[in-house]
Amino acid sequence: MTARPRALPAFATAAAVAVALAGCAAGTPTAAGDAAEGGTIVYAHQQEPACVFGGWIEQAYLSANVLDSLLSLDEDGTAVPWLAEEWSVTDDGLHWTFTLKDGVTFTDGSPLTAEAVAFNFDHWVNDGGNGTALAWLGGYYEQATAIDELTLQVDLSRPYPRLPETLTQGYFGIQSQQALETRSDEENCEAPIGTGAFVVDHWDRGQEIVLTRNDDYASPPANAGHTGPAHVEEVVWKFVADPTTRVAALKSGEVDAIYDVPAVQWASTEQAGFTLEKYVTGGRPQQLTFNTAEGPFTDERVRQAFAYSLDREALVETIGRGVIPYEGNGGVSQSTPGWSQKAADRYSFDLDRAEALLDEAGWTGTTGDGTRTKDGEALEIVLPYGAGSIINADGASILQGVQEQAKQAGFKVDLIPVPQAELFSGAYGSPSERDIYPGYWTAVTSGILYVNWRQSTPESPNYNNDSFTNYPELEAIILEANSTADVDAQNALYAEAQEYIAEHALAIGIYDRLSTLAISPELEGVKQEHSQGGPTFYDARFVD
């Protein structure tokens, strides 16, 4: 396919350089008619990960287009076949059996076998291959064994009935055992070998990853729109950090689809004729977790006062313009099975109540700027956030609103934007460095509560417990929920855990994390997969 050359759009030169569009114009179909085969999709994403496969959602988005998983999540939240055609579990819930598709090969020519999949499980959990997979399976996974060439058995130490749904997330994409054993870590980082619809052709760091079609692809999930190879020949996955630049590139025709549409530009983009998709990610919402190990938030009354000082719903509605959903629940988002309305409603804006709680907690003095004091110490709160990575531009504006609202009750909130490299290197990772931590964690079940609130011990540290405090009673509720087979009983326990978090003001919700897309009217079939809302291009094709 020959790309159609185009002039750079008229927006700022620096932005144009960031998009780096001069060498690759947006794609066009290669045949006439209502729909066409072939062409290159140019897609603008906002963040560049360190590797294609890994434990961050940005990696899961990429790897889901390159690596197939055992199972896929359907629209109704149930797992459906992908590389595994069938699966079952023993009555005690400890032994899972997966029957693999026959005749599937990795793009390096090696066969998909039960031994290869078992190697992946051990790679994730035992060999440091994926920290997020370990966070989900740690404490449950015992071993994976090839019963025969196409039959895999996964043994657990305790029941985990939602294992199939958990395995639909992109963190569990299956890689070639041959590639993992014989290639360098750098090679497997930049171009992992899977059985997927696309392969990594090359990666220009700081600019783009180019994915080319796997012409031999024959293993789509059961909920795909077609069979056989992808319709398009190529996907140019560009990294464009600035949201205004992404929207401008879409509207000028330089790209065919973009991720993360700013709320302020949602309506105008839709009115311009582009298709808009919005997926509310399940799991932990964008929330604020209080450091209950050190500092002012060791006092539950101060945590509750902070919650009452905020009109979170009005703040989100104003900045989110009806696009971003308000979320009061600090445990899980409203799109997650087992979500508790009671936990979401626990705190509403009540400035008088906030001030009374601070008085009761001994923060009765004030400085000249209205900041509360206690024994000569100012009520100063350190709130670092992942600028441009964990928190996007809309989220940063919402946090600025939190800062202003909390000031009315006497909290001085120091907002600290932390660049991605610093954040992922551990900056502000200790109890002495921060008082509040904002962030999300996508998930398909309320089992995310185990990841975020499992106790941290010297033998088994939990670096995902942002409160820095162990809550054995809370963990016990979550563990019981995780192993309860009856869905209604399981969700009731998850709701109990969320209400514990709310009652003790361990975390409060702000808004639900979104995965949004804007797509050219010349392109159809771009989908958001159902486990995390990432863009998938297997069914995508150009239309006249």
Side-chain angles (χ1 to χ4, degrees), residues 181-193:
E181 290 182 316
T182 63
R183 300 165 85 219
S184 68
D185 290 343
E186 183 178 355
E187 287 174 312
N188 289 318
C189 165
E190 294 197 348
I193 301 297

Side-chain angles (χ1 to χ4, degrees), residues 389-440:
S389 56
I390 306 302
I391 304 293
N392 66 6
D394 286 331
S397 295
I398 290 171
L399 288 181
Q400 289 164 12
V402 166
Q403 179 186 47
E404 288 302 312
Q405 289 186 344
K407 184 178 181 179
Q408 299 177 74
F411 292 92
K412 182 181 181 182
V413 178
D414 295 330
L415 277 182
I416 303 173
V418 185
Q420 179 179 317
E422 291 182 31
L423 187 75
F424 290 2
S425 295
Y428 296 95
S430 68
S432 62
E433 293 179 294
R434 72 186 194 221
D435 298 302
I436 298 178
Y437 192 68
Y440 66 90

Side-chain angles (χ1 to χ4, degrees), residues 282-526:
R284 193 182 205 180
Q286 289 284 15
Q287 49 69 60
L288 302 176
T289 295
F290 298 102
N291 173 3
T292 59
E294 295 183 19
F297 291 127
T298 56
D299 190 327
E300 183 173 309
R301 295 167 297 183
V302 180
R303 302 195 299 269
Q304 291 177 333
F306 194 89
Y308 281 122
S309 76
L310 306 177
D311 192 347
R312 291 168 288 160
E313 187 167 9
L315 186 60
V316 173
E317 282 298 312
T318 299
I319 295 170
R321 297 172 178 259
V323 176
I324 302 172
Y326 165 68
E327 179 59 78
N329 191 326
V332 300
S333 76
Q334 60 194 273
S335 62
T336 313
W339 175 79
S340 168
Q341 180 77 59
K342 180 179 178 182
D345 292 342
R346 177 61 179 81
Y347 300 98
S348 57
F349 175 55
D350 189 337
L351 187 57
D352 290 340
R353 180 67 177 138
E355 291 177 336
L357 282 164
L358 289 177
D359 287 342
E360 184 181 327
W363 294 91
T364 54
T366 57
T367 64
D369 63 359
T371 302
R372 293 257 185 162
T373 61
K374 179 181 180 180
D375 300 328
E377 178 186 356
L379 188 52
E380 189 166 351
I381 307 303
V382 177
L383 199 169
Y385 66 95
S389 56
I390 306 302
I391 304 293
N392 66 6
D394 286 331
S397 295
I398 290 171
L399 288 181
Q400 289 164 12
V402 166
Q403 179 186 47
E404 288 302 312
Q405 289 186 344
K407 184 178 181 179
Q408 299 177 74
F411 292 92
K412 182 181 181 182
V413 178
D414 295 330
L415 277 182
I416 303 173
V418 185
Q420 179 179 317
E422 291 182 31
L423 187 75
F424 290 2
S425 295
Y428 296 95
S430 68
S432 62
E433 293 179 294
R434 72 186 194 221
D435 298 302
I436 298 178
Y437 192 68
Y440 66 90
W441 192 306
T442 65
V444 296
T445 74
S446 288
I448 190 61
L449 292 166
Y450 174 72
V451 174
N452 296 145
W453 294 99
R454 177 178 64 81
Q455 296 182 74
S456 184
T457 65
E459 302 77 22
S460 179
N462 181 13
Y463 302 112
N464 304 307
N465 182 345
D466 294 325
S467 74
F468 301 112
T469 305
N470 291 333
Y471 294 94
E473 182 181 356
L474 174 60
E475 182 188 65
I477 298 167
I478 297 166
L479 283 172
E480 184 181 355
N482 276 359
S483 292
T484 298
D486 180 81
V487 173
D488 289 338
Q490 181 187 83
N491 286 338
L493 287 164
Y494 282 140
E496 183 180 346
Q498 293 162 59
E499 288 151 20
Y500 181 102
I501 293 167
E503 180 66 25
H504 297 285
L506 305 181
I508 55 173
I510 312 176
Y511 60 96
D512 285 318
R513 183 192 179 278
L514 296 179
S515 172
T516 60
L517 296 175
I519 305 161
S520 165
E522 296 178 356
L523 191 61
E524 69 175 15
V526 178

